[in-house]
Amino acid sequence: MNSKKITKGITSALVLAGAWSMTVPASAETFTLRVGAGHPNGPAVYVADVANYFVPEVKRRVAEETDHEVEFVEGYGGAIAGVAETLEAVQSGILDIGAYCFCFEPAKLFLHNFPYYAPFGPQDSEQEMQAARAVYDKVPWLTDVFETEYKQKLLGLHGWDNYHLGTTDPWEKVEDLKGVKIGGAGPNLPWLEFAGAIPVQSTLPDGYLSLQTGVYNGWLMFPSAYLGFKFYEPAPHYTQIGFGAMGVNGLTMNKRSFDKLPPEVQKIIEEVGRGYEEQSGKSLNGRQKSGLEGLQKVGAQVKELGPEARAGWAQSLADFPSRQAKEADGRNMPGTEVMNAYLGAVADTGYEWPFVYEIKQ
């Protein structure tokens, strides 16, 4: 047979095969992803929103919009990784997707805790999440570092609702807290300097027993978790101070796991991740309200710190944002840029600080 005819025949066959492959969908697959968090589903709002929003929404959309399916192996409450292990678990691939507070990564994610460095900020979680997102959009380093340093992709932000203070014993004036041991996540412990309290690094899973046994006599905690973890039992005195809502949680995905998925599945996961963030403020506000109401129903003694005492407390921390910005700068992080961006973003929400911070050069 003529070689030109053979070549022409092969070429035609390849073209037809290519055209056929373009019209036939890729074979359907079921992808199994491990998702987890160190905190339990329920008391921790950011985890509840993973279980109740992100997971079912991804499953639904992938099933309805693609030829594939996604199944999740869910491990919350430290079943796969603890609160201080989740970033590393996602990085190594033990978890495909992890939700965690940046507060438990004080070295690796020091600057991502920027809302903690300007306390008494937005009391409303929707305002706070709006401000946090604006900072991430303005300073891409905050997003990029997850991929460049920790081999994962930031899918969405989340946070904590407004922080207050629960104690085992009643108190009237801020001075009454002097010498009292109070637990906290870490980045928020400097808030106690003004009160003269003794800060103790701790985590939510340790809180109940530590309050019960006197390891510390107070907890810096938002009402959703204070109620959910039943801290009101050993520490029934809960004072609304208004340290602010904090956009310091995130949902991330291992980059290798993400890259293995078909583009249409990747797109859905990214969109649902952003949806998880967009609904976070409303979700947190709802739990702040129900948490305060719930504490009153179970007999906790709930009161509110007066505005003058609150303003004085905020003013006592005037140098804290600048100090943290310089610390981050010294770690080759854009600390001054991020803190200035955050103060500006909060101002853009219309929130009025009890004391206006400035980042000193």
Side-chain angles (χ1 to χ4, degrees):
M1 186 180 289
N2 187 293
S3 61
K4 288 185 178 179
K5 289 184 178 179
I6 294 173
T7 302
K8 185 176 180 181
I10 293 173
T11 302
S12 298
L14 289 172
V15 169
L16 285 170
W20 175 253
S21 68
M22 291 173 65
T23 61
V24 177
S27 59
E29 292 187 66
T30 297
F31 301 97
T32 301
L33 301 174
R34 297 176 301 276
V35 60
H39 289 118
N41 174 17
V45 184
Y46 80 100
V47 182
D49 285 351
V50 172
N52 300 331
Y53 172 81
F54 179 82
V55 166
E57 186 68 0
V58 168
K59 290 174 68 174
R60 181 190 68 80
R61 286 194 55 188
V62 170
E64 292 179 1
E65 300 174 23
T66 78
D67 296 309
H68 309 291
E69 291 185 359
V70 170
E71 295 295 335
F72 287 94
V73 176
E74 299 175 76
Y76 310 120
I80 299 176
V83 294
E85 302 164 344
T86 310
L87 180 143
E88 290 78 8
V90 176
Q91 182 175 356
S92 67
I94 294 173
L95 281 172
D96 297 298
I97 300 172
Y100 48 95
C101 179
F102 306 146
C103 55
F104 296 114
E105 294 291 345
K108 293 179 179 179
L109 300 179
F110 177 83
L111 188 52
H112 291 75
N113 286 293
F114 60 85
Y116 279 124
Y117 306 150
F120 296 96
Q123 310 291 287
D124 179 278
S125 290
E126 290 190 83
Q127 282 187 324
E128 167 60 20
M129 296 311 302
Q130 177 186 333
R133 168 45 57 190
V135 178
Y136 276 75
D137 289 345
K138 189 169 185 177
V139 188
W141 178 91
L142 289 165
T143 301
D144 296 343
V145 73
F146 284 101
E147 187 168 339
T148 58
E149 296 292 331
Y150 308 118
K151 301 177 182 178
Q152 51 200 280
K153 185 178 185 66
L154 180 63
L155 300 177
L157 300 171
H158 210 291
W160 302 119
D161 46 300
N162 195 3
Y163 270 89
H164 307 299
L165 176 63
T167 55
T168 57
D169 302 306
W171 57 279
E172 294 299 326
K173 305 184 299 296
V174 175
E175 293 78 9
D176 295 339
L177 296 172
K178 187 173 183 179
V180 176
K181 293 179 291 183
I182 296 176
N188 56 2
L189 291 177
W191 300 347
L192 300 170
E193 290 178 6
F194 172 63
I198 300 171
V200 182
Q201 173 81 41
S202 190
T203 65
L204 272 170
D206 298 330
Y208 188 97
L209 184 60
S210 296
L211 286 167
Q212 192 177 50
T213 58
V215 174
Y216 38 76
N217 300 102
W219 240 110
L220 289 166
M221 188 50 55
F222 27 90
S224 61
Y226 206 83
L227 176 66
F229 283 89
K230 298 186 177 181
F231 290 173
Y232 59 84
E233 292 181 348
H237 303 279
Y238 195 73
T239 304
Q240 296 182 65
I241 293 177
F243 288 111
M246 301 286 152
V248 292
N249 295 351
L251 183 69
T252 65
M253 183 168 186
N254 177 279
K255 192 65 170 58
R256 292 187 305 276
S257 299
F258 181 82
D259 290 342
K260 289 177 183 177
L261 297 173
E264 61 269 34
V265 177
Q266 292 178 344
K267 181 172 181 288
I268 289 170
I269 287 177
E270 287 184 301
E271 289 175 353
V272 178
R274 183 52 71 94
Y276 166 82
E277 175 182 319
E278 290 172 350
Q279 59 86 55
S280 64
K282 184 176 181 180
S283 180
L284 289 163
N285 279 341
R287 290 290 284 275
Q288 172 87 190
K289 183 175 184 292
S290 64
L292 288 170
E293 291 173 350
L295 287 172
Q296 291 173 330
K297 286 180 181 178
V298 296
Q301 303 301 306
V302 180
K303 65 175 185 177
E304 189 169 349
L305 187 69
E308 288 186 13
R310 188 168 173 270
W313 200 325
Q315 186 172 0
S316 76
L317 294 165
D319 294 332
F320 185 45
S322 294
R323 209 163 65 225
Q324 298 304 90
K326 290 177 182 177
E327 174 67 22
D329 291 340
R331 299 187 187 197
N332 294 317
M333 300 174 175
T336 297
E337 181 184 6
V338 165
M339 290 309 300
N340 275 320
Y342 181 59
L343 296 181
V346 170
D348 288 343
T349 70
Y351 175 72
E352 295 183 8
W353 299 83
F355 175 81
V356 180
Y357 299 114
E358 294 182 8
I359 305 303
K360 300 174 183 176
Q361 301 298 325

